[in-house]
Amino acid sequence: MTDSTAEAALFVSTARAFLDKHASLSDVRALHASDRSYDPAWWQRAAELGWTALLVPEALGGGSISGNPLRDLASIAEEIGRTVAPGPLHPVSTVLAGLVEADNHTEHSDAINALVSGTQVAGWAVDEPGRAFHPQQPLLAATATAGGYRLDGVKDRVEAGPQADMFLVTARTDDGPRQFLVSADAPGVAVRRQRCVDLVKRYARVEFDAVQVDDAAAVGSVRQAPTLITRQSQIATVLQCAETVGILDTVFTMTIAWARDRHSFGRPLVSYQALKHRFADMTMWLHACRAITAAAVDEIAAGSPDAGLWVSAAKSYLGEHAGPLVQDCVQLHGGIGVTWEHDLHLYLRRITLYRSMFGTPSEHHQAIYRHVDEAGIPA
């Protein structure tokens, strides 16, 4: 191993040990029983381990481990998937990506520091009610006023919305899409918790009624904003894919162990030819999910013009295969697999949630077609 590879491996193993000790499946169940999403003190400890700083340049108080910040972050997301851990890693990382890359990031240094330290949490307010995922075409309006803007509209499915101290809001202006950093307690902001299939993830509908912000609240220039929004969309999507890979690996490993231990007619289940074929299919899906997600991570990290194509390919492939893979594992467990006491449903819940976030497989299939069509690639 090179030094950077060894450090990256240590970083991941430390994260795994931390999650096993402080965010195990029993901890997730306990949070659900007490109707909590996560412990703020736990999140600050995660921040101290460097999770929130990975996409932040060293000059702004951050730094990566391997030299590839997004790959390091995706590794943490994958580890979170192994215990379907709580915490606002995805929205905080996505918001930080926009803030630190904005050409006016110095105006948001306090927010960046607060998010990196884990003392505050941010939500990315990008989805809107009753609409497909259109980050570049927000309906929420930002009307120019003397020295600022007035925000009017509604966002929903805002991850960590009930716990957020601030929101990075996509909005429509006369000059095109823009983003604004808005305090959660600003006059005119109403946060309403939404029900979620996941046990500990929390989402919110956030209403903006004549919310006044000054010019300094804008994140990035008019020209830069679309690029920032696109990159944030790619990061948010690929982090969900990386976490999904962690879920699939864990569930599949769990199922193989069960099939080896469980006997029928004096033979372990894993010895039956029909089941071997199913395991072979699931192994292929798992490796393909891992490979296409890793490729998408590298394309985004490199700033490739094809990054969007790879992200859509990853999201659509995982969206089509992750759910069936976990459902197969549930079936292979037999009756115990569908009980509340078994842990399989915790993984299935999050897989189901992620399938419809930041675009469905069908929507990403369409995005792939548009990309291929615009590039003039023969079908």
Side-chain angles (χ1 to χ4, degrees):
M1 283 187 180
T2 64
D3 288 343
S4 62
T5 303
E7 290 175 359
L10 177 60
F11 180 63
V12 172
S13 65
T14 300
R16 180 175 297 187
F18 175 74
L19 289 166
D20 287 342
K21 185 175 181 179
H22 300 289
S24 65
L25 292 170
S26 60
D27 293 317
V28 170
R29 287 180 178 274
L31 285 169
H32 173 70
S34 60
D35 195 27
R36 291 187 299 157
S37 179
Y38 64 92
D39 181 353
W42 174 87
W43 177 243
Q44 288 189 42
R45 294 183 65 183
E48 291 170 1
L49 292 176
W51 296 7
T52 55
L54 293 171
L55 298 184
V56 180
E58 290 186 13
L60 298 179
S64 69
I65 306 301
S66 67
N68 187 327
L70 186 57
R71 186 182 298 168
D72 293 336
L73 183 58
S75 296
I76 298 299
E78 184 173 339
E79 292 304 316
I80 283 177
R82 297 185 188 280
T83 63
V84 284
L89 179 74
H90 296 198
V92 167
S93 299
T94 303
V95 170
L96 276 170
L99 294 179
V100 302
E101 295 184 17
D103 47 23
N104 63 340
H105 62 79
T106 55
E107 296 182 3
H108 304 293
S109 57
D110 289 344
I112 292 171
N113 292 335
L115 294 177
V116 170
S117 68
T119 56
Q120 291 192 1
V121 169
W124 191 34
V126 60
D127 262 313
E128 295 177 329
R131 300 186 73 207
F133 185 57
H134 291 302
Q136 297 286 358
Q137 302 170 15
L139 296 181
L140 186 145
T143 306
T145 61
Y149 292 85
R150 190 190 73 212
L151 306 183
D152 295 281
V154 179
K155 299 290 184 176
D156 74 347
R157 291 161 287 170
V158 180
E159 184 176 353
Q163 297 84 21
D165 300 282
M166 65 189 85
F167 298 105
L168 183 55
V169 186
T170 58
R172 170 175 50 85
T173 73
D174 291 339
D175 300 315
R178 299 289 303 275
Q179 292 192 109
F180 300 91
L181 192 62
V182 182
S183 174
D185 60 3
V189 176
V191 180
R192 309 186 191 283
R193 176 175 160 181
Q194 294 178 307
R195 298 183 63 184
C196 179
V197 67
D198 191 88
L199 291 189
V200 293
K201 287 282 187 179
R202 294 290 182 268
Y203 290 82
R205 172 187 173 98
V206 186
E207 301 171 358
F208 299 84
D209 183 11
V211 177
Q212 299 290 334
V213 297
D214 56 30
D215 287 328
V219 175
S221 62
V222 172
R223 183 176 181 179
Q224 187 190 26
T227 301
L228 291 177
I229 293 171
T230 294
R231 179 165 170 78
Q232 289 170 234
S233 301
Q234 293 171 354
I235 290 173
T237 303
V238 83
L239 287 180
Q240 288 192 344
C241 290
E243 185 178 334
T244 298
V245 169
I247 290 173
L248 297 180
D249 189 29
T250 303
V251 170
F252 188 54
T253 300
M254 181 190 306
T255 305
I256 291 291
W258 165 263
R260 284 174 175 159
D261 293 339
R262 185 70 173 174
H263 285 64
S264 176
F265 300 105
R267 296 172 54 188
L269 290 179
V270 75
S271 68
Y272 287 92
Q273 190 68 30
L275 297 187
K276 287 181 179 180
H277 288 308
R278 292 178 71 176
F279 286 132
D281 287 341
M282 288 190 283
T283 299
M284 179 185 66
W285 296 342
L286 173 58
H287 288 318
C289 286
R290 185 185 299 281
I292 199 167
T293 298
V297 168
D298 288 342
E299 291 290 321
I300 299 170
S304 168
D306 289 332
L309 174 64
W310 280 95
V311 170
S312 287
K315 182 66 194 294
S316 60
Y317 188 87
L318 268 69
E320 288 183 341
H321 292 91
L325 193 157
V326 178
Q327 289 281 13
D328 262 4
C329 290
V330 171
Q331 293 299 319
L332 287 166
H333 274 77
I336 194 174
V338 295
T339 62
W340 174 266
E341 290 75 13
H342 202 280
D343 293 326
L344 277 172
H345 72 95
L346 276 68
Y347 296 98
L348 181 58
R349 286 169 180 271
R350 191 160 294 182
I351 286 282
T352 302
L353 169 68
Y354 283 172
R355 186 182 188 276
S356 60
M357 294 299 299
F358 303 127
T360 64
S362 176
E363 291 164 8
H364 281 281
H365 285 154
Q366 296 174 26
I368 292 171
Y369 175 81
R370 289 194 298 271
H371 185 96
V372 170
D373 186 57
E374 291 169 2
I377 301 173

